[in-house]
């Protein structure tokens, strides 16, 4: 796949959308001036982090399989982190944590047309970037936790290689540490406790509510505190 390396852009996802590429491409930027997170949030993107977006083009794609893209992205990130001697954990649906702190977030933007799909997977992974003081308690970078010296370039190369693999949902689930545990679901109308049970094939989280009912919730509806 074609790889484009940039010193700076607003957001690698936005860059790919603007360029309207006709073929698959990976774009990496050393820094982003307007990095974007999920749910309209911004993503701090200073030098030393890995900011990468992959455009995949499928002539035929069943929208019901969309969660597979998240499975591949998060599992590839976890395998990459592991190869630097660090144990990652997935916080459903799209974050990767180390020691309870966020090390990586993914932003997937799919555009379906006819039977086809243009799928953008944006990944932001903290490697050697300085984290602002307000994020110190909730975020971590790979160089702080790895016993091996890490460079953005090396982490990027491993991640690109891993992203070309296909992973199963079982592999994705093997990185989730909270099954059987109480979690807090945060919705627009407040938060509630539930016990995490499983992740369904469509990506919804299966939980046991406090009233004894089992429900399936989508990442679009809730954030999660574990
Ligand atoms: C999140 O944690 O909410 C998702 C963060 C995704 C950040 C990556 S960095 C590369 C790509 N470009 C962006 O603007 N966002 C994604």
């Amino acid at each position: 796949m074609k790889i484009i390396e940039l010193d700076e852009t607003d957001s690698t996802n936005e860059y790919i959308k603007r360029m309207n590429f006709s073929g698959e491409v990976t774009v990496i930027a050393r820094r982003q001036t307007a990095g974007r997170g999920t749910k309209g949030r911004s993503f701090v993107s200073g030098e030393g982090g890995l900011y990468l977006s992959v455009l995949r083009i499928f002539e035929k794609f069943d929208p019901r399989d969309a969660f597979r893209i998240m499975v591949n992205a998060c599992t590839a990130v976890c395998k990459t982190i592991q190869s630097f001697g660090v144990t990652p954990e997935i916080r459903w649906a799209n974050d990767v944590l180390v020691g309870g702190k966020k090390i990586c977030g993914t932003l997937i933007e799919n555009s379906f047309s006819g039977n086809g799909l243009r799928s953008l997977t944006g990944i932001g992974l903290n490697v050697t970037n300085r984290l602002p003081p307000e994020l110190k308690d909730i975020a971590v970078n790979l160089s702080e936790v790895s016993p091996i010296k890490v460079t953005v370039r090396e982490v990027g190369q491993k991640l690109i290689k891993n992203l070309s693999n296909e992973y199963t949902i079982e592999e994705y689930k093997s990185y989730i540490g909270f099954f059987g545990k109480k979690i807090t679901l945060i919705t627009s109308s407040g938060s509630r406790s539930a016990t995490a049970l499983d992740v369904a094939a469509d990506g919804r989280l299966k939980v046991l509510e406090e009233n004894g009912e089992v429900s399936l919730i989508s990442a679009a509806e809730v954030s999660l505190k574990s």
Side-chain angles (χ1 to χ4, degrees), residues 146-162:
S146 173
I148 308 164
K149 194 175 169 345
V150 294
T151 62
V152 186
R153 175 159 286 273
E154 216 187 327
V155 177
Q157 282 166 349
K158 277 226 167 99
L159 180 58
I160 289 171
K161 187 165 172 284
N162 288 339

Side-chain angles (χ1 to χ4, degrees), residues 17 30 53 64 72 90 101 112 121 136 204 219 226:
K17 284 193 245 171
R30 285 157 69 93
S53 298
R64 287 172 296 189
N72 270 345
I90 292 177
K101 296 182 179 182
F112 291 93
T121 297
K136 274 279 171 202
R204 287 184 298 168
S226 51

Side-chain angles (χ1 to χ4, degrees), residues 49-62:
L50 177 64
Y51 313 109
L52 168 158
S53 298
V54 184
L55 171 68
R56 300 284 317 273
I57 300 172
F58 301 89
E59 303 238 306
K60 211 167 163 233
F61 194 97
D62 186 337

